[in-house]
Every structure is written in C-alpha cells, then in structure tokens.
Amino acid sequence: MSREAVLRKLEPIFRGVIDPDLVLSEELDASKVPLWDSLNHIILVVEIEMKLGVALTTDELANLRNVSELVTLLQEKGVQA
Amino acid sequence: MSIDGAQLQSLSARYVAAHTLQQLAACARDYEAAGAPLKPDWPKIRVALTGNYSTQFLARGFPIALAARDFAAEVYESPYNQWCAELLEAKSPLYGFAPTHVIVTLTSIELAYGSLRSPQAIVAAVAAAVEAALKTSDAQILVTLPEPLADEISDNSAAYAWRRAVNDGLRTALLAPRVTLFDPEPLVRSAGARSWFDDRFYETAKLPFHPDRTPALLGALADALVGAIAPRCKLVVVDLDDTLWGGRVGDDGFDGIDLDPAGRGRHFLRLQAFLQGLRGKGILLALASKNDPAAVQEVFAERPEMMLRPEDFAAMEIHWEPKSSSLARILDRFKLSTAGVVFLDDNPVERAEVQRRFPDIAVPELPEDPAQRVAMLARSGLFDHRLATGESRARNRMYAENQVRAAAQHDTGDYQEFLRGLKMVMEGSPLEAARERVSELIHKTNQFNLTTRRYNWTELIGLLRNGFGRCYRLTDRFGDNGIIGVVAVVRDSEADARVDLWLMSCRVLGRKVEEAILADVVARARALGARRLIGEYSPTAKNAPVANLYPRLGFTEISRSGASVRYALPLDDARVGASVEFIALTERGAPAEAEVG
C-alpha cells in the first residue's frame, strides 16, 4: 500500500480522536497538534490497532509521535486496503 | 452555557453505551463543551482522585459518569503517583480542593513491584495515608483493593498469596465508617485477565489495564462512590408464588410448591439467598403476595428448605388487594419515600399495576426463566449498597419488631384507571373448546373454587345435559393469560339456574373478571328463562378467599346446610349482571364485539 493510501486510512481515525477538521499530512507530529496529548495518543493507538487490524509493540507504541514514522511502520506491518 | 435536559439525557445514554476509551472520551469532551449541567436538585460532590497510576482517563470521565447517576461532580486529580504525599501532608493541593469524596486507587503492578512490595509495608502505608485523610478532612474515602494480576495462575501462586495478604490487612486496618473498600476483582474476572491487562500500556502510559477497560472501571467506581453517598436500595418488596418458590401455594399446597435444591426449586432458593444477602447489608425486605395468610404461614412452618424466615420480613402484606395498596401501606408504615424501593414479581400485570401507581419504584422485569433472575438482578445495579453499617442492620430488626398494621387507603379511582389500561378481552366458549385445560382446572384449582367438585369429563357432560358450561380465556395488553375461568350452570327448576361449579385462576383475581363472568352467566340464564341464579359456597381448607364472593356480587343468603351456604340473585332485576365496562366480552369464533346473551 502506498504511503498516500495509508495516510488516507489514518485520517478518519485521527479526525475521530483529535479533531474532526484535521487534515492529516506526513509533516505533522504531536508537538504541532495541540490536542495530540498523551491521553489522545493512547486512544489513537487503540483505535489504529482495532481499525487497521495491527498489533504494535511496546516500543512502537511509545515512539509513534509523528505521522511519517507511523506511516512507515504501518507499511512495514503490511496494512491491507 | 449549560446543557439542557434532552441533551443531557442523550449524552448520558451515549455514556452508558460507551465501551471503548474513545467513546468515553468523546462523551467527556462533549459534556465539558456543554458546560456544567444546571440541575439544582442534584447533590453536589467534590471528588479528589489520587493513586499510583495514570488516572487522567478516570478523572476526565467522572463528571459525566456521575451526571448519569444524577450527581453534579467537580473533580480534582493528583499528580501521578503522589497519593502518599497528598494524603499525608495536611497542606496538600488535594485538601486545598476541599473534597467531599476521596478516591484512592492503587494498582497491584506498582504496589507489588514498586517501592513498597511487602504486604505489611503496603498495609501500613495505606493505613497511614487513610488515617491522615480521616483526620484532615471529613470526606468519604473510597479505597480500591489491589486487582488480581495475570500472575495469579493458581491459588498456589505467590501473586495470589500476596494479594490475599494485602486484602486481609487492608480490610482489618480500614474499618472507619467513612471508608469504603472497592474490590476490582469481579470486574477483572468478568473481563478476563487477558482482556483486562495489556502491559504495553503500563510501560508506555502507566495505565495498568487496557485503555478500553476504562469505561467499565469508571462505572464501577462511580457506582461505589454513589453507593457510599446514598444507598441505592433500602427496601425490597417481593412476591411469593413463582417468585420465592415454584408454583402457587394456594393450588399446589405447602407440600406441592417447588423448593427442591436438586431441581428447578434451586433457582427460587437462589433468589432467597440473594435477598438474604441484601438483608444482611441492612436492606429491608417485605412480602406482597395475593394469597391466604394461613397457607403462607404453613409454608414457613412446614418447609424447612425456606431460607427466608418470617422474621426476615419487616412487613407482610398477604391478601387479595392490589399490590399497589400493599406497597402504599408498607411505605406509610415505615414513613419511606419511593426512592430506593424495589418491587420483585414474576407477573407482568402486577408489575405494571405497581409501576403505574408508583412510577419511581424500581420494578425490574424479572426474566420468565427463574434460572436467569438472580444474575439479572445482580447485574441491574439496583443493589449496589456499599455501606453496611451496624445501624442499618439494626433498623431491619426494629421494623420487624414494631410491625404495626396501619390501614392505608386504597385509591379506587386510580385502580380503575389501571384496569382500564390493561385492555382486557375475555373470550367465552363452551367447555369442549378447551377440554384438557378445563379438566386440569377442575382438578387442580383450590383457592378460587366455590364448590370444589372434582368432576370427570363424563360426569360433567351428564351434569350439563340440563344446563350449560362456559370457559373463559383472558387476554390483556401483556399477552394471553389462557383459560382462567370455568363455570357449570344447572337448571334445577323452571325458575332456578344454579352455579354448580365456578372456579378461576387466582392470577387474575382483583381484576373484576368475576363480575364479567357473572354478567355472561346472568345473560345466558336469562335467555333460558330462569328467574333466579343460585350460588353455592362449600368451604374447604383452601378456598377462604372466595367465602364472600356471592355476597360481594350482590347475592343474598337463602339457606345453610352444615358449612355450605346457598345464595340467590334475582334475574328479573335489570340492574343485576351488568357488564364490566373495561372487560370486552367476546364469543369464541365470533367477531370481537361485546356480547349480550
């Protein structure tokens, strides 16, 4: 799956958790999105695991604070369309 | 800005349905955005939350969780793992918040693997912190006991022994009446350890359970908190037949009701044990049963399997009046409001009758299947009563000792309204139409049975050669009650028609069904040219409830022989045998319209 396709799959999840008007791009990270706090980060992880059917490891879960890395990881994990 | 009633209701409904953290967070966010609810009658509480793990999710959720339980809550959350300092230091921000309630929530993960570790050290630290809180503040204190860890693979495991030692120590140390203990074990067990724990989130966020378990824990803590504020339930009024035992004592006899612990009776005994447990916690129990008091006394005297004893009940309303009247008397006697009153009855019509007069009384819909009832009640949340004080236990005994029967007025107009609302339809037919059920009723009915003549079918047909037999099926908005009445009328002479047999299922007593049946019988006897309707009552050990049926229906006594009494009703009086306006009488196979003869 292309990076763009992964991004499009992530966008509704981010919108549901963080901000309904958010436009997700690879440049975003937690420091640039005020509502991407530690609380919402946990919710994001849970939602991504559930909606995309992946399991993240403890390390992955801790370090995924920017969109670009998240996309790379999900690509590696072979998220299906 | 504040939230209006409808918004609050839909938000509460969303909150109750939330089972993921995201759904819960969305509810909390919308609730915060809408501003505090303006509900002047809601108790205002100030909840301070402190513990040894990440409590942000709980802190965010508490206001909506308590709003859904009709409390207006403000919440303070301690910094991460500061519970000792916050509680021990009298000038801490926690006490500065002036809490009415303090929740101390501690996970086993940190207790067992952090700095304290040994059960003795843990109990000492918690006891010291709680003691300081009791001294510094007058808040209610809720302490969570350590949850069972996934390491508890058997009762032989070290983790199990550790938790038992901590639990025992805390239960012994924390006895002050202002302290409530909350054991998360049932919650963890029902979720299953595998679904409860997720170490990744403890590693990364110091959350000792999977994030999606937050709504369940929050709900349980809110229940515990509210339970500690106002016990949900203070009185349970319970039915007898088919609720506390299987069958109906009036028909089956004290020796015929099912209390067999090895069979179906076990489900009824289980409900008795459940109620006994409630009584142990200081909740009052009372009986409301349509029965002959003597028959019920006989059960208590002769059936040792009964777990509940007469002295367990603060009040007994055993008679044939509407159950709402029984409730009214019980409430009046103990000067109780309807808040926290629960009514348990297997019969949906009785439940509706009580609910109609007392909309605030909790009337759970008991499952038809007795096996499912206790589980349903336990899940209902109606009985989460967490403060079992010596005083409430004594209250139960006091009520039982002071049992005084104060007559309460039965609100006739209201009851008529209820009967009207039942939308009863009674379908009459010849006895052949339901031969099996008619035979069964003739042989089984004891209570509403005027003459108790156990005819077999041949005898019955012979008897009716000179008369008529009728059976009646009653339906109402709750469904079909089946064949509920049988009469056999014999023409004794040119002038007289005699009701040789009249029996009814006692399930429908008090619903004017006997008047409706009489109207049908009168119409038919008139059509045959009879001028008097004769009624007989022959007393038995069981049929006292109908001793006064004929006088009540307008008959006058004409003769006595032994204990039996004969009555007569003049059929030439046009006022006699009026139909009951809210019971539509139809004929089987005929179009549904009131039938007059």
Side-chain angles (χ1 to χ4, degrees):
Chain A
M1 198 189 263
S2 72
R3 295 186 72 82
E4 181 60 22
V6 174
L7 205 57
R8 292 283 79 82
K9 286 192 87 77
L10 282 173
E11 191 170 64
I13 297 175
F14 271 78
R15 286 182 173 178
V17 175
I18 289 176
D19 177 356
D21 300 322
L22 185 77
V23 180
L24 199 65
S25 67
E26 294 221 21
E27 295 73 53
L28 284 185
D29 63 40
S31 69
K32 297 191 186 110
V33 182
L35 284 169
W36 190 345
D37 55 13
S38 58
L39 210 137
N40 280 335
H41 183 69
I42 296 285
I43 301 176
L44 273 177
V45 168
V46 172
E47 291 293 302
I48 289 168
E49 287 198 330
M50 192 180 70
K51 298 227 164 94
L52 301 185
V54 293
L56 306 178
T57 68
T58 306
D59 287 342
E60 290 163 351
L61 200 141
N63 298 323
L64 285 177
R65 303 285 284 179
N66 74 67
V67 176
S68 175
E69 277 175 34
L70 185 59
V71 170
T72 307
L73 182 72
L74 291 174
Q75 258 190 327
E76 281 169 14
K77 295 210 173 240
V79 172
Q80 298 300 307
Chain B
M1 186 174 143
S2 82
I3 191 165
D4 70 26
Q7 273 177 300
L8 180 66
Q9 207 166 21
S10 85
L11 200 52
S12 294
R14 264 176 59 207
Y15 158 76
V16 170
H19 62 274
T20 68
L21 179 58
Q22 191 198 357
Q23 290 159 349
L24 175 67
C27 290
R29 194 173 54 215
D30 293 351
Y31 186 70
E32 286 158 17
L38 276 188
K39 283 267 186 171
D41 55 327
W42 279 7
K44 291 182 183 49
I45 57 175
R46 299 174 66 78
V47 180
L49 185 60
T50 189
N52 65 0
Y53 59 91
S54 290
T55 47
Q56 312 100 291
F57 294 132
L58 294 174
R60 281 286 291 280
F62 262 116
I64 176 71
L66 287 163
R69 290 164 174 79
D70 295 349
F71 285 86
E74 278 198 53
V75 177
Y76 163 82
E77 186 198 2
S78 284
Y80 170 72
N81 206 6
Q82 292 302 301
W83 61 281
C84 271
E86 285 263 61
L87 295 174
L88 289 173
E89 174 51 59
K91 294 199 160 56
S92 70
L94 185 145
Y95 295 122
F97 172 74
T100 58
H101 294 77
V102 177
I103 302 179
V104 187
T105 181
L106 303 171
T107 173
S108 297
I109 302 178
E110 164 66 20
L111 291 177
Y113 304 113
S115 57
L116 292 167
R117 292 191 190 178
S118 84
Q120 293 78 4
I122 292 165
V123 171
V126 175
V130 169
E131 203 174 311
L134 287 169
K135 216 175 286 167
T136 317
S137 134
D138 52 12
Q140 296 282 335
I141 300 166
L142 182 72
V143 181
T144 69
L145 295 170
E147 78 274 27
L149 289 177
D151 325 25
E152 283 188 21
I153 45 167
S154 78
D155 61 354
N156 227 350
S157 60
Y160 180 76
W162 174 86
R163 185 169 61 92
R164 273 201 57 172
V166 177
N167 271 350
D168 291 349
L170 289 176
R171 286 189 190 280
T172 318
L174 304 179
L175 288 173
R178 268 198 282 140
V179 180
T180 306
L181 298 178
F182 171 85
D183 190 346
E185 177 173 354
L187 202 61
V188 178
R189 295 261 179 256
S190 77
R194 253 170 234 228
S195 123
W196 186 265
F197 295 106
D198 192 328
D199 278 345
R200 298 173 306 160
F201 293 98
Y202 190 73
E203 289 308 315
T204 55
K206 289 288 179 273
L207 201 60
F209 41 83
H210 188 278
D212 282 347
R213 302 291 86 78
T214 308
L217 177 61
L218 176 68
L221 285 175
D223 274 341
L225 201 68
V226 169
I229 297 162
R232 284 265 185 104
C233 172
K234 60 193 180 197
L235 166 69
V236 180
V237 180
V238 63
D239 169 51
L240 286 173
D241 288 339
D242 281 322
T243 301
L244 289 191
W245 55 62
R248 294 195 285 275
V249 64
D251 293 326
D252 303 329
F254 74 86
D255 47 356
I257 57 170
D258 193 351
L259 285 166
D260 177 7
R264 190 168 173 272
R266 177 165 49 90
H267 309 309
F268 301 97
L269 289 171
R270 202 171 152 210
L271 181 60
Q272 293 199 19
F274 180 77
L275 293 172
Q276 206 167 41
L278 295 181
R279 185 176 182 269
K281 293 188 208 165
I283 293 174
L284 290 171
L285 302 182
L287 283 179
S289 167
K290 288 186 177 170
N291 251 318
D292 176 5
V296 173
Q297 290 308 332
E298 211 168 14
V299 174
F300 282 121
E302 306 291 339
R303 295 296 297 261
E305 309 99 299
M306 285 290 291
M307 302 178 80
L308 290 167
R309 308 303 311 161
E311 55 272 21
D312 288 323
F313 298 98
M316 291 195 197
E317 289 285 334
I318 298 165
H319 45 67
W320 301 92
E321 281 177 62
K323 299 224 175 171
S324 62
S325 305
S326 299
L327 262 296
R329 280 203 199 100
I330 294 167
L331 293 177
D332 185 61
R333 185 176 318 152
F334 301 124
K335 304 287 172 243
L336 291 175
S337 69
T338 52
V341 177
V342 178
F343 175 67
L344 298 181
D345 199 305
D346 66 301
N347 184 337
V349 174
E350 303 290 6
R351 296 200 295 259
E353 194 265 325
V354 165
Q355 190 78 86
R356 195 177 172 282
R357 181 152 171 204
F358 297 107
D360 296 339
I361 286 183
V363 184
E365 286 191 22
L366 280 193
E368 285 257 330
D369 178 1
Q372 295 173 19
R373 290 179 183 163
V374 169
M376 178 269 183
L377 290 173
R379 274 197 315 269
S380 71
L382 288 167
F383 305 101
D384 283 327
H385 178 113
R386 291 183 182 275
L387 281 187
T389 63
E391 192 209 348
S392 63
R393 271 191 291 265
R395 186 178 61 197
N396 223 329
R397 197 153 23 88
M398 184 182 78
Y399 280 130
E401 284 164 1
N402 293 347
Q403 204 183 110
V404 186
R405 291 196 173 246
Q409 285 300 315
H410 160 208
D411 183 351
T412 313
D414 196 58
Y415 188 64
Q416 298 273 3
E417 265 313 297
F418 162 72
L419 291 177
R420 200 181 306 281
L422 282 178
K423 308 220 181 303
M424 287 182 276
V425 176
M426 202 169 76
E427 181 196 76
S429 57
L431 299 182
E432 290 77 14
R435 180 172 164 171
E436 268 179 40
R437 174 66 176 149
V438 167
S439 300
E440 186 194 324
L441 280 170
I442 288 175
H443 286 96
K444 245 191 101 181
T445 306
N446 289 318
Q447 294 191 91
F448 196 111
N449 195 337
L450 275 300
T451 53
T452 321
R453 293 177 181 140
R454 312 286 196 198
Y455 296 123
N456 66 33
W457 193 254
T458 319
E459 290 168 328
L460 191 63
I461 297 303
L463 180 78
L464 294 180
R465 208 160 289 144
N466 187 23
F468 61 89
R470 303 279 290 159
C471 64
Y472 303 91
R473 171 182 295 274
L474 185 77
T475 49
D476 55 42
R477 68 183 170 94
F478 294 98
D480 187 355
N481 296 281
I483 301 289
I484 48 79
V486 174
V487 283
V489 178
V490 179
R491 195 74 184 275
D492 277 346
S493 69
E494 176 64 24
D496 290 349
R498 178 176 50 83
V499 184
D500 187 274
L501 206 59
W502 186 353
L503 42 96
M504 270 174 47
S505 154
C506 53
R507 270 178 85 86
V508 298
L509 274 194
R511 290 165 65 173
K512 304 275 178 202
V513 171
E514 47 279 36
E515 280 87 343
I517 289 178
L518 180 67
D520 182 54
V521 169
V522 163
R524 283 171 192 278
R526 274 188 185 135
L528 293 175
R531 292 191 297 280
R532 282 203 313 180
L533 189 64
I534 306 295
E536 301 166 86
Y537 170 68
S538 312
T540 67
K542 298 274 174 62
N543 71 353
V546 289
N548 288 313
L549 178 76
Y550 283 121
R552 186 157 68 73
L553 292 174
F555 285 66
T556 31
E557 185 178 324
I558 49 172
S559 68
R560 266 171 198 268
S561 107
S564 297
V565 192
R566 278 192 169 226
Y567 300 90
L569 187 72
L571 295 180
D572 43 18
D573 183 341
R575 287 167 302 173
V576 158
S579 61
V580 179
E581 51 163 328
F582 43 77
I583 301 181
L585 186 61
T586 67
E587 187 62 23
R588 188 166 192 232
E593 57 183 1
E595 200 225 50
V596 216

